[in-house]
Amino acid sequence: MLQSILKSTSVFMLIVIGFILILFLPREKEVTFLSAFHIEADYPFSFELYLERIEDFTGHILTEKGLGEARTGRPVSEEAGIFVARSLKIVLPAFIVSMLLGTLMGAVQFYRRTKFTGKLQNFLSWMFSSIPDFFLFIAIQYLFILMMQHGLPHFKLYGHENWYSFLLPLVSLSLFPFLHMSRFTSAALENEMGEEYVRTAYAKGLGDFKALLHMLWNCWSPIMNQAQMVMLYILSSLPIIEKLAGYNGAGKELLFSISSNDEIKALSLMLPFLFIMFLTIILSQTAKLWLVQKERV
């Protein structure tokens, strides 16, 4: 376990260093006015300029003893904490819904796989998994707009100010990982059908439900492995969903800071995302150590 944690920590540090190196690539545009009708724009790059930007960043960290102040006058770390806290209201529920309810729905789909409801569930899962999350979000917004025109009480579809503002981004962000966990769990249970312990369970007359619980316990290892993929999808889709929703969280601010060449703020917003991903890996590995049987029953 310790070796696995050290390996994950090493990979995490390499990713952080790689992100910093990419973030500080020269992106400033140089405009040259050759004449009244001839203007040229270029993005010059040289290793000298690249090293100069990295040295400026290092000097800034040492001088400010941290990330310094944002353009608003507040400390960058304090401002980033506000945005990250807003985004966690979406990220954490989306992860829990995807892992727990997705696994439960996959078990139900497998249990009823030969019945009409199971086949219908499988078809709906396949259909909705082909819809991009941003398209789903726009479709839900448009549906609510039409409903409000026909008598539904009005409420704000954009922003972060209201208590319910995170619900629409949460639903659209959870759809694909939820369906992925449902399909994966059903497929993992299907692979267990040929195992000896399943035939033994049926021979003892345990019944479908008890056999399913036994199979589900033996599938915890591959199911827990999917936690990393689920969190990665949620975090990678978060910026565009927040931008579409006008939800002023860390994802939306990250896009804005990168486009405005505010590297310090971009770094302060990206590091918590990387740490959340790292923490997910560590917790999933720990859960496998304590909850998964070492040997098949």
Side-chain angles (χ1 to χ4, degrees), residues 90 94 133 137 140-141 157 159 164-175 238 241-242 244-247:
I90 301 175
D133 51 9
F137 183 78
I140 293 176
Q141 284 182 326
L157 291 172
Y164 55 81
S165 299
F166 73 99
L167 291 177
L168 284 181
L170 170 62
V171 170
S172 59
L173 198 60
S174 303
L175 179 65
L238 182 67
I241 293 298
E242 286 189 348
L244 290 174
Y247 189 89

Side-chain angles (χ1 to χ4, degrees), residues 3-214:
Q3 182 180 1
S4 178
I5 292 177
L6 291 175
K7 180 181 178 181
S8 299
T9 304
S10 301
V11 173
F12 171 72
M13 296 304 299
L14 289 175
I15 292 175
V16 170
I17 294 173
F19 173 76
I20 294 175
L21 294 176
I22 294 174
L23 185 63
F24 285 92
L25 284 170
R27 300 193 307 275
E28 287 81 3
K29 180 170 62 175
E30 286 189 359
V31 179
T32 304
F33 294 89
L34 299 177
S35 68
F37 303 99
H38 187 185
I39 300 175
E40 292 185 355
D42 191 20
Y43 294 87
F45 174 82
S46 67
F47 284 104
E48 291 78 10
L49 181 59
Y50 189 25
L51 292 175
E52 180 182 344
R53 288 170 59 85
I54 295 177
E55 290 174 358
D56 291 342
F57 168 70
T58 305
H60 174 82
I61 295 296
L62 295 176
T63 302
E64 300 289 340
K65 297 181 180 180
L67 297 176
E69 290 187 353
R71 296 172 180 175
T72 58
R74 287 186 298 190
V76 172
S77 57
E78 178 184 331
E79 193 169 87
I82 296 173
F83 293 125
V84 171
R86 288 176 188 159
S87 293
L88 287 179
K89 292 172 63 177
I90 301 175
V91 172
L92 294 182
F95 180 76
I96 294 172
V97 166
S98 301
M99 291 299 298
L100 296 183
L101 295 186
T103 300
L104 177 62
M105 188 60 65
V108 172
Q109 181 177 333
F110 173 79
Y111 185 72
R112 305 185 65 84
R113 65 192 183 280
T114 58
K115 298 180 174 59
F116 172 77
T117 54
K119 295 179 179 178
L120 178 62
Q121 182 181 342
N122 185 46
F123 170 75
L124 293 176
S125 175
W126 169 81
M127 183 180 68
F128 280 104
S129 63
S130 62
I131 302 176
D133 51 9
F134 68 89
F135 180 80
L136 175 69
F137 183 78
I138 295 173
I140 293 176
Q141 284 182 326
Y142 182 66
L143 177 62
F144 275 119
I145 291 173
L146 292 180
M147 292 172 66
M148 283 188 285
Q149 290 176 349
H150 290 81
L152 182 71
H154 285 253
F155 59 91
K156 290 188 66 174
L157 291 172
Y158 301 94
H160 64 275
E161 297 82 5
N162 299 291
W163 67 266
Y164 55 81
S165 299
F166 73 99
L167 291 177
L168 284 181
L170 170 62
V171 170
S172 59
L173 198 60
S174 303
L175 179 65
F176 182 84
F178 169 81
L179 294 176
H180 168 77
M181 287 305 304
S182 176
R183 295 195 309 272
F184 182 87
T185 302
S186 180
L189 291 171
E190 191 74 38
N191 291 335
E192 293 291 312
M193 284 297 294
E195 297 295 332
E196 185 65 31
Y197 76 90
V198 178
R199 292 193 291 268
T200 302
Y202 280 112
K204 291 182 178 180
L206 294 181
D208 290 339
F209 183 72
K210 291 185 177 180
L212 175 62
L213 293 179
H214 205 48

Side-chain angles (χ1 to χ4, degrees), residues 231-246:
M231 182 58 77
L232 180 62
Y233 179 85
I234 291 173
L235 294 179
S236 60
S237 300
L238 182 67
I240 185 62
I241 293 298
E242 286 189 348
K243 188 172 180 63
L244 290 174

